[in-house]
Structure formats: structure tokens, C-alpha cells
């Protein structure tokens, strides 16, 4: 409920104060973190679930897989931006070198 209202932080505070957590509450927190774009946090919550001794169900796994997919997508976007930057930088350097070569020949 907290995540649907944009109050994910409040939801996590309530979760932290819960004396007894069950599979449903763990799964909801994983899903809330992923929906909020906090993929690493969602995976940390999943590790907490495993450490608590509970076994994930199919709903938990779907939330974790979505977090992994979104995290990988973000990494790939950054890699593509880096690749574009490197290509542009390479073209700039080659352009400078070719201009220098012409200048050296004119000397």
C-alpha cells in the first residue's frame, strides 16, 4: 500500500519494525523496491529473506527476476553510452591526428 502511494520509505520503516515477517511481507518489500527502481535494495531484501530461513515462492522469484532484468538493462544502457562516447572520442582523435599529419607534411 505504501509503495502505491509513493511512500516506499515509510513502507520499509514499517517492515523494519515488524516483529514477525512472513513470505508475503518479504515478497511485497522486494516488489516495492524493484517498482521504485531500487533494484540492488530489492536483491538485498531477497538475501534477507533467504537468511531468515524462509523459502521463496513463485511470486518472490518473479520480483527478484524483474529486479535482475531491470538492473541488467540499466547496466547495458550505460555500456551503450560508454561505447558511443568511445567511438566519438576515437573519431575526434583520428581527425586530430590526420590534421596533424597534413600539417607535418606542409613543413
Amino acid at each position: 500500500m505504501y509503495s502505491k502511494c509513493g511512500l516506499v520509505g515509510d513502507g520499509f520503516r514499517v517492515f523494519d519494525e515488524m516483529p514477525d515477517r512472513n513470505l508475503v511481507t518479504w515478497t511485497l518489500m522486494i516488489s516495492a523496491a524493484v517498482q521504485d527502481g531500487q533494484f540492488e535494495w530489492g536483491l538485498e531484501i531477497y538475501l534477507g529473506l533467504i537468511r531468515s530461513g524462509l523459502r521463496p515462492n513463485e511470486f518472490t522469484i518473479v520480483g527478484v527476476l524483474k529486479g535482475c532484468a531491470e538492473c541488467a538493462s540499466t547496466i547495458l544502457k550505460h555500456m551503450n553510452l560508454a561505447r558511443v562516447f568511445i567511438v566519438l572520442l576515437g573519431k575526434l582523435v583520428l581527425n586530430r591526428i590526420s590534421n596533424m599529419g597534413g600539417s607535418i607534411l606542409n613543413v
Side-chain angles (χ1 to χ4, degrees):
M1 182 59 125
Y2 287 98
S3 70
K4 291 189 186 256
C5 297
L7 303 170
V8 177
D10 291 341
F12 283 114
R13 278 190 283 286
V14 170
F15 179 74
D16 285 339
E17 295 172 5
M18 292 178 91
D20 296 316
R21 300 173 185 156
N22 60 28
L23 185 58
V24 173
T25 56
W26 282 101
T27 301
L28 287 172
M29 297 315 299
I30 292 167
S31 297
V34 170
Q35 287 176 0
D36 195 47
Q38 300 179 37
F39 315 120
E40 290 180 27
W41 198 0
L43 295 176
E44 286 293 327
I45 296 167
Y46 174 72
L47 291 175
L49 163 80
I50 299 300
R51 289 182 192 120
S52 76
L54 292 172
R55 295 184 56 118
N57 64 12
E58 63 273 14
F59 300 105
T60 311
I61 298 301
V62 167
V64 171
L65 288 176
K66 184 174 182 191
C68 291
E70 293 292 339
C71 194
S73 175
T74 302
I75 290 169
L76 289 175
K77 285 179 191 174
H78 289 295
M79 287 174 62
N80 285 333
L81 287 175
R83 190 175 304 134
V84 168
F85 177 74
I86 290 168
V87 168
L88 292 175
L89 184 60
K91 286 182 179 181
L92 179 67
V93 168
L94 288 175
N95 190 21
R96 297 270 183 185
I97 290 172
S98 66
N99 287 340
M100 280 181 17
S103 299
I104 292 172
L105 293 176
N106 290 332
V107 173

